[in-house]
Amino acid sequence: PDHVHLFVSFGTGCNITLGEWIKGLKRHLGSALQSTGATPRQLGHQELQSFWQPGFHDHLLRSDESYGEKWDYVRMNPVRAGLVSREEEWPYQGEIILIDRV
């Protein structure tokens, strides 16, 4: 796996931007990975200094888009990549906190 999909919802009145949140998430997860002894991998002849590529790609879920359809797309990624034969077999998925979809 070489990427992560997240569904994120900020509450009304939240003063943090998505970019700031992603930066903090990358910093926190990078520290956690380093504490396990993991190191960023090499890319060709270049030693990477971070586990993460710069930036991120976001997609705002519009009112005419189905949350369920997007969730199904994300759940099927490991199947399309040939990592598992059924989405239920992928251990790195699930909801931590249910997002209010109303």
Side-chain angles (χ1 to χ4, degrees):
D2 62 358
H3 64 279
V4 175
H5 287 273
L6 300 170
F7 288 64
V8 178
S9 176
F10 297 116
T12 304
C14 181
N15 293 325
I16 192 168
T17 67
L18 182 59
E20 292 167 336
W21 188 84
I22 292 291
K23 183 178 179 180
L25 178 66
K26 287 180 176 182
R27 185 177 55 250
H28 179 77
L29 292 178
S31 294
L33 287 167
Q34 285 180 330
S35 73
T36 69
T39 58
R41 62 187 170 102
Q42 283 191 300
L43 183 60
H45 300 292
Q46 181 183 16
E47 182 70 30
L48 299 178
Q49 300 301 311
S50 173
F51 292 99
W52 312 106
Q53 294 177 343
F56 63 96
H57 301 282
D58 61 336
H59 175 82
L60 179 64
L61 194 60
R62 312 265 190 287
S63 60
D64 62 338
E65 292 178 306
S66 165
Y67 179 92
E69 288 173 6
K70 293 296 180 187
W71 181 242
D72 289 342
Y73 168 81
V74 170
R75 284 192 348 193
M76 290 303 293
N77 261 358
V79 176
R80 285 189 295 274
L83 299 170
V84 293
S85 57
R86 297 183 346 225
E87 69 270 13
E88 298 87 16
E89 297 170 354
W90 187 244
Y92 310 107
Q93 67 170 322
E95 291 179 294
I96 297 169
I97 298 172
L98 294 177
I99 294 175
D100 182 9
R101 297 179 280 265
V102 177

